[in-house]
Amino acid sequence: MTRYKHLADLLSKRIEQGFYQAGERLPSVRTLSTEHGVSISTVQQAYHLLEEKQMITPQPRSGYFVTPRKAVPPVPALTRPVQRPVEITQWESVLELLSVREEKDIVKLGSGMPDLDQPTLKPLWKIFSRIGHQQDPGMLDYDNLYGVPELREQIARLTIDSGCRLTPQDIVITTGCHEALSVSIRAVCQPGDIVAVESPTFHGTMQTLRGFGIKAIEIPTDSGTGISLEALELALEQWPVKAVIVVPNCNNPLGFIMPEPRKRALLALAQRFDVAIIEDDVYGELSYDYPRPITLKSLDEDGRVLLCSSFSKTLAPGLRVGWVAPGRYLDRVLHMKYIVTGSTAKQPQMAVAEFIRQGYYPAHLRRMRQMYQRNLEIFTLSVRKHFPCGICVTRPQGGFLIWIELPETLDTVRLNRELRESRIQIAVGSLFSASGKYRNCLRLNYAQPFTERTDKALAILGAAVELAMEKCLPSSAVMK
């Protein structure tokens, strides 16, 4: 750790412990320089870092002061969706979210995009260039259904960190995680079947179920521990559920990591009722703690877990390189893949395989975990500064997505339309429910480095939320 970061860390701890109170003037740059035996520039860098985190505020000709801090918002309570099979809606809202991708002058707070500008991705560009210069005709040919052997071998090695013991023959390459989920769902379900899902859950999964004519039963989910096993057990007893779809690691959109004992209990429940588990682990490698959390697949002894993932969130979505380890459903998954897309493009597979083989991938992951965790700290401080009281905010354990619950009277669908005039886009909560629940919630992305533009967008969003709350509540109930 550099000297200025060490000093900043020391000062931040003193602020958090109350040694320096809110509004209190901090020691001068020269005083700290003498006290800690460091240069003036080191102190200035430390203060600048604390200023970025919005822990201190500079005042011209007066020095630095501890920023007054609002109370930390509580986390959302256990969700309570309608616990019966329902037809899935919300396609128009999903289409509206996707349509913003091409707009350049809008702040995309609602996207699921990772940061694509980090220097650790430069070797990937060079590898792509080298593969292109080779002009190998084989790169333009069809691949086999399983995918490139070199990539499957590298993925099998990567999954050791998640507790798995897979071979290349256990893995099928797909066109992104979306196809991995799609072929897995079609491998274990038929039109008219019922699938249990976390609530809220990834809108892409919901729309896949809708497209296949499958109903969803939403299960209450805790923002810290995951799907309610008690509610799931009740649903399994009451309805002919064919599969359970979960995102247990760095969940989208709630950000939790399901504790290992609950993972074991979930698997035992699936075994007892003989249902498949489709596990989406696309964010699992972005856990802020290392080693990364284990997957359900690593505990699976009878092949009922279909593990789906991709490099869309860890590297880049445009690669369209995903994979599935389907266990006992391998033959069905291969058949579904043949029906849907056939083989996956070779060149991206080879580039990713080479990127991993040369050792670039672990270094890139380390950097992204650190960046996203730092971004989260700054982002949440900005949310606390700009949003009114009366909200609940998740505390993600990985990834780059945060979920905010507003008072039930607020409508984020209407809010999102109003924000478009300010060139700001959010992901409304109803996208993540089969029945359109969570209209008072929103999902935000903090993958990009925090800038003045981001802070301004959050200020506008917070002001819009406060105005909406004032229209619904007595003036005394809305407090900054």
Side-chain angles (χ1 to χ4, degrees):
M1 183 182 290
T2 60
R3 287 188 176 184
Y4 81 89
K5 287 184 178 179
H6 178 76
L7 180 58
D9 185 55
L10 176 64
L11 293 171
S12 67
K13 286 179 180 176
R14 289 182 177 180
I15 292 171
E16 289 168 357
Q17 293 167 358
F19 185 82
Y20 297 123
Q21 298 291 326
E24 182 180 345
R25 185 177 184 274
L26 292 164
S28 69
V29 172
R30 192 172 298 278
T31 299
L32 281 180
S33 173
T34 304
E35 180 183 334
H36 294 277
V38 296
S39 67
I40 287 178
S41 64
T42 296
V43 179
Q44 289 173 331
Q45 284 180 293
Y47 271 162
H48 181 67
L49 184 58
L50 293 177
E51 187 183 348
E52 279 187 341
K53 293 183 177 181
Q54 300 176 15
M55 297 186 72
I56 65 174
T57 304
Q59 293 187 14
R61 295 186 294 277
S62 297
Y64 289 88
F65 293 78
V66 178
T67 304
R69 303 177 72 183
K70 292 194 298 184
V72 177
V75 297
L78 180 74
T79 61
R80 300 198 176 279
V82 177
Q83 295 179 60
R84 56 178 172 78
V86 296
E87 301 281 352
I88 295 163
T89 57
Q90 308 307 310
W91 167 238
E92 290 75 16
S93 297
V94 173
L95 199 59
E96 182 180 347
L97 178 70
L98 299 179
S99 67
V100 179
R101 286 179 177 174
E102 300 302 317
E103 298 186 40
K104 303 298 183 183
D105 62 336
I106 190 168
V107 182
K108 302 179 182 70
L109 293 177
S111 77
M113 284 282 292
D115 183 0
L116 303 179
D117 293 327
Q118 292 302 314
T120 44
L121 283 175
K122 288 182 180 179
L124 185 61
W125 287 105
K126 293 180 180 179
I127 291 169
F128 261 110
S129 178
R130 186 165 61 250
I131 291 174
H133 277 98
Q134 289 173 354
Q135 296 185 11
D136 180 2
M139 288 294 165
L140 303 178
D141 198 356
Y142 286 114
D143 191 17
N144 65 66
L145 282 178
Y146 280 90
V148 170
E150 293 89 338
L151 179 57
R152 289 187 284 125
E153 181 179 344
Q154 295 301 330
I155 291 173
R157 290 176 178 175
L158 289 176
T159 59
I160 293 174
D161 277 353
S162 68
C164 290
R165 293 293 182 270
L166 300 174
T167 69
Q169 290 69 41
D170 297 321
I171 295 166
V172 178
I173 304 301
T174 59
T175 305
C177 188
H178 210 124
E179 188 191 22
L181 292 167
S182 174
V183 296
S184 295
I185 291 168
R186 294 190 69 175
V188 300
C189 298
Q190 299 291 329
D193 283 346
I194 300 170
V195 167
V197 298
E198 298 161 325
S199 183
T201 195
F202 171 49
H203 54 75
T205 299
M206 290 293 198
Q207 294 307 314
T208 300
L209 295 174
R210 171 182 171 162
F212 295 154
I214 298 169
K215 293 182 178 180
I217 178 167
E218 297 181 76
I219 308 298
T221 302
D222 184 87
S223 63
T225 59
I227 193 168
S228 168
L229 300 179
E230 297 75 18
L232 177 60
E233 182 177 15
L234 188 62
L236 292 172
E237 289 173 346
Q238 189 174 0
W239 305 98
V241 174
K242 279 294 187 72
V244 181
I245 303 177
V246 289
V247 189
N249 294 324
C250 309
N251 177 270
N252 174 16
L254 297 180
F256 63 79
I257 294 176
M258 179 182 272
E260 185 174 332
R262 295 186 66 82
K263 288 177 180 174
R264 293 183 182 277
L266 172 57
L267 191 57
L269 202 58
Q271 291 169 338
R272 178 177 147 204
F273 287 91
D274 193 25
V275 297
I277 295 179
I278 298 174
E279 179 179 15
D280 180 349
D281 191 57
V282 73
Y283 292 94
E285 290 188 318
L286 294 176
S287 165
Y288 299 148
D289 290 330
Y290 190 84
R292 57 145 295 163
I294 64 168
T295 55
L296 291 167
K297 185 67 176 178
S298 69
L299 306 171
D300 181 25
E301 296 180 352
D302 57 1
R304 72 177 60 251
V305 177
L306 299 93
L307 176 62
C308 304
S309 191
S310 80
F311 296 95
S312 295
K313 308 304 179 183
T314 55
L315 290 178
L319 294 170
R320 308 312 303 137
V321 176
W323 56 272
V324 54
R328 65 166 78 166
Y329 305 101
L330 176 61
D331 287 343
R332 295 186 197 175
V333 163
L334 283 172
H335 187 206
M336 293 304 120
K337 178 170 171 54
Y338 172 74
I339 292 172
V340 177
T341 60
S343 59
T344 301
K346 281 186 177 181
Q347 185 172 349
Q349 292 186 66
M350 291 300 299
V352 173
E354 187 66 11
F355 186 80
I356 299 170
R357 189 188 68 80
Q358 292 190 27
Y360 295 118
Y361 190 61
H364 174 72
L365 281 180
R366 284 194 297 271
R367 181 179 180 89
M368 301 319 295
R369 292 188 195 110
Q370 293 169 357
M371 289 290 297
Y372 292 150
Q373 187 170 21
R374 181 174 179 273
N375 290 353
L376 172 62
E377 293 174 1
I378 301 172
F379 197 93
T380 51
L381 282 172
S382 183
V383 168
R384 285 163 58 185
K385 180 176 72 172
H386 295 304
F387 279 60
C389 297
I391 66 171
C392 297
V393 182
T394 56
R395 295 168 189 165
Q397 295 174 272
F400 45 80
L401 302 169
I402 194 168
W403 180 261
I404 299 177
E405 182 182 292
L406 308 175
E408 290 187 4
T409 51
L410 267 66
D411 184 352
T412 56
V413 176
R414 180 183 300 171
L415 184 67
N416 192 38
R417 293 195 188 105
E418 295 172 355
L419 289 168
R420 290 300 296 273
E421 296 180 8
S422 301
R423 307 305 294 159
I424 298 169
Q425 172 249 12
I426 60 174
V428 299
S430 55
L431 290 172
F432 305 89
S433 167
S435 57
K437 191 177 167 61
Y438 312 119
R439 286 179 73 99
N440 64 314
C441 299
L442 54 100
R443 188 196 73 178
L444 302 180
N445 179 314
Y446 55 87
Q448 304 303 316
F450 197 83
T451 63
E452 185 178 341
R453 186 179 186 220
T454 308
D455 189 60
K456 182 179 179 181
L458 288 175
I460 294 171
L461 174 55
V465 169
E466 184 172 14
L467 180 61
M469 289 173 64
E470 288 174 346
K471 291 179 179 178
C472 301
L473 300 172
S475 57
S476 59
V478 182
M479 300 170 57
K480 282 294 276 186

